[in-house]
Amino acid sequence: MLLSLVVHTYSLRYWFPATIMLGSAPAYLLSWGAWRLLSTVLPARMYHKLDDRLYCMYQSMVLFFFENYTGVEIIIYGDIPKNKENVIYLSNHQCTADWIIADMLAIRQSALGHVRYVLKDGLKWLPLYGWYFSQHGGAYVKRSAKFSEIAMKKKLFTQTQDGVPMYLVIFPEGTRYNPELKNVIADSQAFATKEGLAVLKHTLTPRMKASHIALEAMEGHLDAVYDITVAYEGTQEGFRQRKPAPSMPEFLCKECPRVHIHFDRVDIKEIPPEPLFFRRWLHERFEIKDRLLTDFYESEDEDKLCRFPGEGKHSPLNLSKTLPSVMILGGLTLPLLLTENGRKLYVRTWVYGTLLGWLWVNAFP
C-alpha cells in the first residue's frame, strides 16, 4: 500500500505538468490558426512577429514546469550577450531535455520566440507539434544520403529574406549520445578514424551538413554561433562512470538537481565558410566539448569533478517571465473543457489538426 502510494505520487510529478502542457496545445493552435488566417493578406514579416510572440508564450509555460516547478539549478559558465542576435546554436546532444536547455538560454536573452529547430525527419509525425514546428520556421532533415539540402536551404533563405529573427538550434551529432549504447559510440569513433579525425569519448562525431547549409543559406543575416556544452549533474555513478542523461519525464520528476552549461560565443567572421575548413573547425569545437566533459566526469581532482572550468554562475529564472503564460493558456483552455461543445472542439482540434499537419508536412517538406 505504501509502495503504491509512493509510486503514484512520483508519477504525478510528471503527469501533472505533462497534462497541462499537452492539454493547452489545442487552445494554442486555435489562437495561432486564427492569426495565420488573418495574416494571409499581410506581409510575412508581420506574421512572423506575432507568431514569435505566441511561441514565446507557449514555451514560457513549458519553462515554468521544467525550471520553476522542478527547482533545477542552472549554472552558466561564460557570459550570455544582453542583446538579441541572429545565431546558430550548436550543442552536444544526449537526451530529449536538450531541447529545453536551448529555451532556457534563449529566455535569458529575451529571444525565446526566435527559437527554431533543425529536427530529424521522424519528428514531423508528432501530433500537432510536428506540423507547428515546421510552420514556426523549423526544418526537418533526413540523415546521410537522404538529406535534402535544397529543402532546408530554401526554407532558411526565405526566412532570411523576410528578415525573420533567428535562433536556430542544431545538434550536429545527429543522434543522442548514450553511454549504454556502445555500438553507436563505436560506429561514431570508427567513422572518425576512417576520416582522419580525432576520436571523441564523451560526444559523437559531429556531422557538418546541416550546420554548413545553415551558414550558407543565412549568409549576411547571422551574427554569431553559440557553442554550447551541456552536462547534467547526477549522471555520474560508481568510480567516474557516466550514465544516461535524464529524459523529459525524468527531468520533470526532479531527478536532475543542476544543469551545467558552458557558453562560448564565436563571431560569425571567425568561422571558415569553405566546406573542408568548416568541417575541421566544427570537429575542433567538439574536441573542446569532449575535453570539458572528460574533466566533468573523470577529473582526478575532486574539486573539478561535476563542474566546468572557470566561474559558474547560478542563473535563476524569475516567475514573472513564466507564470503569466501559464495563467493565460490555462484561461484559454478551461472554457473548452467546461462545456460539451467546447470539449468537442477540443477533441476535433487534436484529431483534425494532427491529420492536416501530417498531410501538410509531407506535401510541403
Side-chain angles (χ1 to χ4, degrees):
M1 179 71 177
L2 181 59
L3 179 60
S4 175
L5 180 61
V6 170
V7 171
H8 182 65
T9 303
Y10 179 84
S11 66
L12 280 177
R13 289 182 178 183
Y14 163 62
W15 285 112
F16 169 65
T19 299
I20 295 177
M21 286 187 284
L22 293 173
S24 60
Y28 174 82
L29 189 67
L30 287 170
S31 302
W32 171 83
W35 168 241
R36 191 71 181 101
L37 288 173
L38 288 171
S39 66
T40 53
V41 295
L42 300 174
R45 187 187 295 264
M46 290 190 65
Y47 159 71
H48 286 295
K49 192 168 184 177
L50 187 56
D51 174 52
D52 283 1
R53 288 182 180 273
L54 289 171
Y55 184 78
C56 178
M57 179 172 63
Y58 186 84
Q59 292 302 108
S60 295
M61 178 196 67
V62 171
L63 286 179
F64 169 81
F65 290 108
F66 275 92
E67 194 164 345
N68 300 121
Y69 167 79
T70 63
V72 64
E73 287 185 40
I74 305 301
I75 312 296
I76 299 177
Y77 303 77
D79 298 318
I80 300 175
K82 294 181 179 179
N83 298 325
K84 298 177 187 178
E85 297 184 291
N86 291 314
V87 302
I88 295 176
Y89 170 111
L90 299 179
S91 175
N92 59 314
H93 192 22
Q94 50 201 314
C95 63
T96 51
D98 290 337
W99 301 102
I100 305 299
I101 303 303
D103 289 346
M104 289 177 176
L105 288 179
I107 198 172
R108 284 162 170 80
Q109 205 175 349
S110 300
L112 185 56
H114 304 165
V115 174
R116 308 173 211 285
Y117 303 109
V118 174
L119 302 151
K120 64 181 180 182
D121 191 66
L123 292 175
K124 70 185 181 184
W125 299 106
L126 282 173
L128 295 187
Y129 294 96
W131 175 55
Y132 177 70
F133 283 147
S134 175
Q135 294 297 297
H136 183 62
Y140 289 106
V141 296
K142 295 181 180 179
R143 294 173 185 164
S144 63
K146 297 180 179 179
F147 191 102
S148 176
E149 294 187 27
I150 296 175
M152 180 179 175
K153 192 175 290 186
K154 180 181 178 182
K155 185 156 201 172
L156 294 178
F157 181 76
T158 300
Q159 292 181 94
T160 299
Q161 294 297 102
D162 291 338
V164 176
M166 188 60 65
Y167 196 105
L168 186 66
V169 178
I170 302 176
F171 298 108
E173 291 161 281
T175 191
R176 296 190 292 269
Y177 176 97
N178 184 334
E180 294 181 349
L181 299 180
K182 305 295 185 184
N183 59 325
V184 174
I185 296 172
D187 289 346
S188 176
Q189 293 175 341
F191 175 79
T193 301
K194 177 184 174 184
E195 298 296 318
L197 301 169
V199 172
L200 307 174
K201 183 177 181 181
H202 285 283
T203 71
L204 301 178
T205 304
R207 306 303 174 105
M208 62 160 275
K209 192 172 287 185
S211 305
H212 190 255
I213 288 173
L215 280 173
E216 282 188 326
M218 297 189 290
E219 184 180 3
H221 188 60
L222 295 173
D223 300 302
V225 165
Y226 290 171
D227 184 7
I228 309 298
T229 307
V230 179
Y232 297 90
E233 196 165 317
T235 53
Q236 185 189 43
E237 62 180 358
F239 184 72
R240 294 174 172 80
Q241 295 293 314
R242 184 176 175 181
K243 65 179 184 179
S247 63
M248 282 187 179
E250 290 168 339
F251 199 100
L252 287 170
C253 287
K254 308 182 181 183
E255 292 192 11
C256 178
R258 293 177 195 84
V259 179
H260 296 260
I261 305 171
H262 189 277
F263 180 96
D264 190 9
R265 181 189 184 277
V266 183
D267 192 279
I268 202 68
K269 296 175 184 176
E270 299 176 18
I271 301 171
E274 299 84 1
L276 183 63
F277 294 112
F278 176 78
R279 185 189 194 191
R280 175 61 62 182
W281 175 86
L282 181 62
H283 198 83
E284 287 174 353
R285 300 307 300 190
F286 268 76
E287 289 178 50
I288 295 171
K289 293 179 187 298
D290 199 54
R291 289 195 291 270
L292 288 170
L293 292 167
T294 298
D295 286 343
F296 187 93
Y297 288 106
E298 301 179 20
S299 177
E300 296 296 330
D301 187 342
E302 292 289 338
D303 293 333
K304 294 181 180 179
L305 275 175
C306 296
R307 58 170 289 113
F308 289 133
E311 182 185 2
K313 298 177 183 176
H314 178 219
S315 177
L317 180 61
N318 198 300
L319 271 173
S320 63
K321 290 189 174 184
T322 58
L323 188 57
S325 297
V326 178
M327 298 174 70
I328 291 169
L329 286 168
L332 290 172
T333 302
L334 278 176
L336 291 177
L337 300 177
L338 293 177
T339 65
E340 185 176 351
N341 288 336
R343 287 190 291 272
K344 288 179 180 178
L345 178 61
Y346 182 89
V347 173
R348 286 170 182 163
T349 303
W350 265 108
V351 174
Y352 295 134
T354 298
L355 292 175
L356 287 172
W358 287 348
L359 289 171
W360 182 277
V361 295
N362 280 282
F364 305 99

